[in-house]
Amino acid sequence: MPIRSLFSVRHVALGLALAGAFTVADAADFTGRGVFNFKSDSGCPFGPLAADDDCNRLALDDADTHAVLDSAAHTIRFTNTHSYGEKTIVGDVLLQGSGQTRSGQRVPLTFHALLSRSGTDWSVSSHAHTPVGDEFSDIRIDPYQVVVNDGNAERVVLTPAQIGEALAKPSLTARLANVLVQVEDNRTGGAKDADITIGLGLSKASKSVARARFHAPAAKGHELAEAMRQGNWTLELQALSGKIPRQVVQRDLFLYGLESQSLLQPLLQRGFRKNEKLVLGAINGKGYVRYDGQQREFAGADAAARAFLQDSFIGLVLGWQQQHQQPPQATAAKANGR
């Protein structure tokens, strides 16, 4: 019965990012390629940007992957019996929470785990998203464990304790994985709009790969959700390198409800070329997508942008910067699979 309840699903259909809902007692089954949102009891990064606090995410990348989410037992169980010829991402889990910095400020924290299959073997990689570089205490996040099953046996691949450890020192986790993302604040001359450059590598040897901007005039001192409801905003992503992996671009288009947009098919097939821009926005409430010098109406622009601001590392930094005037410190996170 479709009511606004504990779980919602985000699919791409006819170029729109759709939202539905399912009512269940304690568990929900998910099958087939799609992006599914469920309630975070620990809150969401930007409050009402997500309806009913449905800002935790579970994604299934292909039809061979099945997942069961048991909210009462705080367990997410993935099953896949297919054999893959090469390492392939088959799903992910994204949990939203918050932590306290050493100065006492509470900031949003996101835990993101990618689940892959190679042959019949499972592997998992995980990382934290944070808008500021720091170490965190008093971490609040739903205590889920993640279990995988290959049809013969199952094993726990992530525990609440492991998730908490990754969030407590996200920069250390990224350093151990040898994948650092640097953030540069581009605002000058009193500019207020969120504007960042993303670089990969250690700070002195970092290579710029992307620039992101978020313009929402009504967001000055107000909630992002309310600002976007005003109907005039833009979210712009620009590639500063032609070497952003095509698989990363393809997965982002899938996650944020954009892969069926006909205008974006060249981007889906070959990835970004250097200096290309992808823009989502709205004028007087009417959504649009712009790419390669062309602009088309897109009713799903608002849903896609909200998901990006909450779920992606870049979006988290943009949203935080839009609401806080101090420049963000350099921070670290995993670079792929956002």
Side-chain angles (χ1 to χ4, degrees), residues 87 111-116 123-127 158 334 336:
K87 186 175 182 179
F111 179 81
H112 186 199
L114 285 165
L115 289 93
S116 301
S123 63
V124 60
S125 61
S126 60
H127 55 278
L158 284 170
K334 193 83 161 70
N336 62 353

Side-chain angles (χ1 to χ4, degrees), residues 180-316:
L180 294 182
V181 177
Q182 304 293 336
V183 178
E184 180 182 352
D185 187 348
N186 296 321
R187 294 174 295 181
T188 60
K192 303 296 185 182
D193 289 331
D195 185 349
I196 59 176
T197 295
I198 304 298
L200 297 182
L202 295 173
S203 57
K204 293 183 179 180
S206 175
K207 179 176 177 57
S208 297
V209 295
R211 185 172 184 176
R213 303 178 180 91
F214 182 61
H215 175 65
K220 305 301 182 293
H222 296 82
E223 294 291 343
L224 289 179
E226 180 61 30
M228 296 180 76
R229 277 193 288 269
Q230 301 296 321
N232 293 282
W233 56 268
T234 57
L235 172 62
E236 177 183 297
L237 303 174
Q238 179 182 12
L240 302 181
S241 167
K243 296 183 179 181
I244 299 174
R246 179 169 56 92
Q247 295 85 349
V248 171
V249 177
Q250 290 174 329
R251 193 160 198 275
D252 277 358
L253 294 178
F254 157 61
L255 290 174
Y256 304 117
L258 297 167
E259 67 179 0
S260 292
Q261 284 292 297
S262 59
L263 180 62
L264 303 181
Q265 292 311 297
L267 181 59
L268 183 70
Q269 294 166 10
R270 59 167 169 74
F272 273 111
R273 291 175 176 167
K274 187 175 181 178
N275 294 324
E276 279 191 332
K277 294 180 182 179
L278 169 61
V279 180
L280 295 174
I283 300 175
N284 297 325
K286 181 174 290 187
Y288 66 85
V289 57
R290 184 188 307 145
Y291 173 71
D292 195 25
Q294 301 181 62
Q295 181 171 308
R296 296 182 185 174
E297 290 187 10
F298 178 36
D302 181 71
R306 286 169 183 260
F308 183 83
L309 288 169
Q310 288 189 134
D311 296 356
S312 74
F313 168 64
I314 293 175
L316 188 67

Side-chain angles (χ1 to χ4, degrees), residues 143-160:
Y144 278 96
Q145 68 172 354
V146 179
V147 178
V148 296
N149 190 315
D150 61 6
N152 297 312
E154 67 178 35
R155 63 186 175 94
V156 176
V157 293
L158 284 170
T159 66

